[in-house]
Amino acid sequence: MNAKNTFTRLENWDMGRVRDALVKDGELSRHEVQAVETEYKKFLSLGFGVPSKKVDLFWHKHILHTRDYMAMCTQVFDGVFIHHEPAVDGELTRLQKVFTQMMVLYETTFGPPSTMWTDTALCQYRCLGGNIPCEKSCKDIRSRITAW
């Protein structure tokens, strides 16, 4: 199944409980939670990648709703469980490549990426474990997104 078809299936998946939990817990505002949900669904539709920080937050909260997450994987992804693997030391180069590939597929499928993708988990990873200063690495990612 291609990303666009998967996104169409995900668009109708009700994630109201996840949205409500994120707002109730003060992690996202009522104003931004819908846009983050849309980007989360696009991210999952691509089938691989490096999430933005807000998409990663949505993903974490969704996984905590285990029954709904499992049902989504079963119904939308034909029983394939979508695992969430944290980055480990030494993966920076691979993650940069994956991020770039993901953004190319994103643009091909959905058009120019949202500015939400300038604040990526990759940037966070680079800040915590990479050898490039955080501000520079995040600035590099922002310039790539802006170029799309």
Side-chain angles (χ1 to χ4, degrees):
M1 184 180 325
N2 71 35
K4 195 67 166 175
N5 290 342
T6 302
F7 181 71
T8 299
R9 291 173 78 177
L10 273 174
E11 273 185 304
N12 297 321
W13 196 266
D14 180 16
M15 295 190 183
R17 292 180 60 206
V18 178
R19 286 192 313 271
D20 291 346
L22 284 161
V23 171
K24 180 181 175 249
D25 294 345
E27 295 170 288
L28 292 173
S29 71
R30 178 75 51 200
H31 174 76
E32 68 186 333
V33 72
Q34 187 67 49
V36 176
E37 177 184 349
T38 299
E39 292 303 312
Y40 170 66
K41 289 176 177 181
K42 288 177 180 180
F43 171 75
L44 288 180
S45 297
L46 296 174
F48 75 101
V50 179
S52 73
K53 286 183 184 178
K54 289 181 180 179
V55 166
D56 197 44
L57 183 67
F58 201 101
W59 196 2
H60 283 228
K61 191 64 79 175
H62 192 198
I63 288 172
L64 292 175
H65 291 83
T66 57
R67 288 185 191 347
D68 184 67
Y69 189 78
M70 186 63 170
M72 179 203 67
C73 289
T74 300
Q75 294 175 35
V76 175
F77 297 99
D78 300 324
V80 175
F81 189 83
I82 308 301
H83 292 278
H84 186 308
E85 298 284 338
V88 296
D89 289 341
E91 287 194 311
L92 179 58
T93 302
R94 183 185 71 78
L95 290 175
Q96 287 173 313
K97 185 176 181 180
V98 168
F99 178 78
T100 300
Q101 291 169 339
M102 179 189 78
M103 285 291 101
V104 169
L105 180 58
Y106 183 107
E107 184 177 27
T108 302
T109 307
F110 303 114
S114 156
T115 57
M116 189 180 306
W117 291 98
T118 62
D119 192 13
T120 68
L122 175 59
C123 178
Q124 180 182 21
Y125 170 75
R126 292 174 84 174
C127 295
L128 297 174
N131 59 5
I132 300 171
C134 181
E135 186 53 39
K136 180 183 180 336
S137 63
C138 296
K139 193 174 186 178
D140 291 347
I141 290 169
R142 285 186 195 104
S143 66
R144 273 195 231 153
I145 296 292
T146 305
W148 266 297

